[in-house]
Amino acid sequence: MSVMEKDLTVKKATREGFGDEIVKLGKENKDIYVIDVDIAKSCKTSNFIKQLPNQHINVGIAEQNAAGLAAGLATTGKIPFVSTYAVFGSLRMAEQIRQEVCYPNLNVKIACSHGGLTPANDGGSHQAIEDMGVLRSFPNMTVIMGADYYSTRKLVEQAAKMYGPVYLRFTRDTIPVIYDENEEFTIGKAKKLNEGKDIAIIANGDTVHLALKAAKELEQEGISVKLLDMHTIKPIDREAVVECLELGNIITVEDHNILNGLGSAVCEVAAEEGRGKVTRIGVQDQFGQSAPYGKLLELNGITVENIIATAKSMLS
């Protein structure tokens, strides 16, 4: 069954994919460590602690210390995964990640739950809307967000195998399962979900299922859609973006500030190529509120209805 044919009724949070995969990887490779900051239950690393206690360190509520410790472990050949909330793993740890991880190009993975608006009722203080943008500006950093449970597991596995700093972003809320468990992914290569000739939609993370639903409806109305899951926004799949530019119109969809995230990365390619029009759908350069996740998406126009309306407007 193709992705376009799935009913998307099964839902799982991508943080669960990380929690399940990191146990598997830790059992296979004793050099893999998890560094927690007292929120193992929320970040889904509790099972790792139970099964692999000798490969786990809890530093308490001290994210900056966790980054420094991870850097130290990496110099000894270990592969540390720092597990925390996205808003802390990107902003509170930013200086340490820049100076102690990216600058010496160490093999540290920053694995963060509660990305984007998914913390929802916790409010704007816990909603990381700028994290991927901040960290993609650091040299040597790879930035990834899987679109569902299974893609997250595969991308975490790939991140563990590659050398260098990686930022992995997960959702708190459950989102539809899009892929089968045997689907393969390559860091830096977009997943092509549908070929089309009228307009391109490039989505990332927890918005991919929304783009998928919109593409289905547009196809039913006779509008042919090229659809990409751009799970890696750094390094972005430039070749895939250039293919989309050949259609003339691109819509980007992300659960992130429209500044410096997926939309900006695509716009950079379009500007350098000197062609195509890009419309960005995402968080409208505003902090979130304490509200249900779906309501926050709606307030920012991150909806199936808005994707469809935007596509029709661009084509008209």
Side-chain angles (χ1 to χ4, degrees):
M1 180 186 295
S2 73
V3 170
M4 291 289 285
E5 296 171 326
K6 287 204 168 183
D7 59 12
L8 306 181
T9 54
V10 177
K11 294 184 177 184
K12 296 186 79 171
T14 61
R15 59 175 170 161
E16 295 179 33
F18 168 65
D20 291 341
E21 186 63 25
I22 199 65
V23 171
K24 172 179 170 290
L25 294 173
K27 289 180 177 179
E28 294 172 351
N29 185 349
K30 296 304 180 183
D31 284 333
I32 288 178
Y33 276 64
V34 166
I35 302 173
D36 270 314
V37 293
D38 255 2
I39 45 174
K41 183 177 180 181
S42 292
C43 293
K44 300 300 179 182
T45 54
S46 296
N47 198 30
F48 189 97
I49 297 170
K50 292 176 183 176
Q51 298 197 42
L52 299 162
N54 294 331
Q55 293 164 247
H56 173 264
I57 303 169
N58 180 16
V59 299
I61 307 171
E63 285 85 355
Q64 292 157 317
N65 185 33
L69 174 60
L73 284 171
T75 65
T76 70
K78 306 302 181 185
I79 307 171
F81 281 74
V82 180
S83 177
T84 183
Y85 293 164
V87 72
F88 304 135
S90 60
L91 301 179
R92 184 173 293 172
M93 290 166 54
E95 181 183 0
Q96 285 71 29
I97 292 172
R98 182 186 188 275
Q99 298 296 102
E100 300 173 23
V101 175
C102 289
Y103 186 48
N105 194 27
L106 295 178
N107 196 24
V108 174
K109 320 302 174 183
I110 312 297
C112 292
S113 180
H114 294 52
L117 297 171
T118 62
N121 293 326
D122 288 345
S125 63
H126 280 59
Q127 294 158 10
I129 61 168
E130 60 283 282
D131 53 323
M132 293 193 291
V134 169
L135 295 183
R136 86 176 181 101
S137 68
F138 292 172
N140 297 322
M141 178 63 79
T142 296
V143 179
I144 299 169
M145 186 178 189
D148 75 345
Y149 172 86
Y150 288 117
S151 63
T152 296
R153 289 198 64 162
K154 289 299 179 80
L155 290 164
V156 168
E157 178 186 34
Q158 292 296 311
K161 290 179 178 178
M162 69 170 278
Y163 183 89
V166 179
Y167 179 64
L168 294 149
R169 190 200 213 208
F170 315 124
T171 64
R172 173 189 177 183
D173 280 41
T174 60
I175 55 175
V177 173
I178 298 171
Y179 298 106
D180 294 327
E181 61 181 324
N182 59 354
E183 193 80 35
E184 294 300 324
F185 294 83
T186 301
I187 290 173
K189 291 294 180 182
K191 199 74 177 176
K192 296 181 183 179
L193 305 186
N194 197 53
E195 291 290 353
K197 63 182 188 303
D198 295 329
I199 195 166
I201 301 175
I202 304 176
N204 172 271
D206 51 316
T207 67
V208 172
H209 74 95
L210 300 174
L212 184 57
K213 291 174 183 176
K216 288 180 183 179
E217 292 193 33
L218 288 166
E219 290 274 344
Q220 290 170 2
E221 295 184 36
I223 298 173
S224 180
V225 178
K226 179 186 282 290
L227 178 61
L228 300 184
D229 169 5
M230 192 67 74
H231 49 74
T232 308
I233 70 166
K234 186 189 178 186
I236 196 162
D237 187 343
R238 188 183 184 92
E239 182 180 344
V241 175
V242 170
E243 285 182 12
C244 291
L245 287 171
E246 293 174 1
L247 304 183
N249 292 300
I250 298 175
I251 299 170
T252 61
V253 192
E254 60 190 314
D255 181 1
H256 187 278
N257 195 338
I258 57 171
L259 302 179
N260 207 21
L262 170 66
S264 289
V266 171
C267 284
E268 289 160 14
V269 177
E272 289 163 357
E273 290 290 319
R275 58 195 170 112
K277 180 179 181 181
V278 181
T279 299
R280 295 169 296 166
I281 294 176
V283 178
Q284 298 299 300
D285 196 22
Q286 61 187 352
F287 288 107
Q289 305 170 38
S290 181
Y293 171 54
K295 181 65 175 177
L296 293 171
L297 293 178
E298 182 183 332
L299 287 171
N300 286 278
I302 309 172
T303 64
V304 173
E305 294 76 17
N306 190 39
I307 298 170
I308 292 171
T310 302
K312 291 179 178 178
S313 176
M314 294 182 78
L315 290 172
S316 66

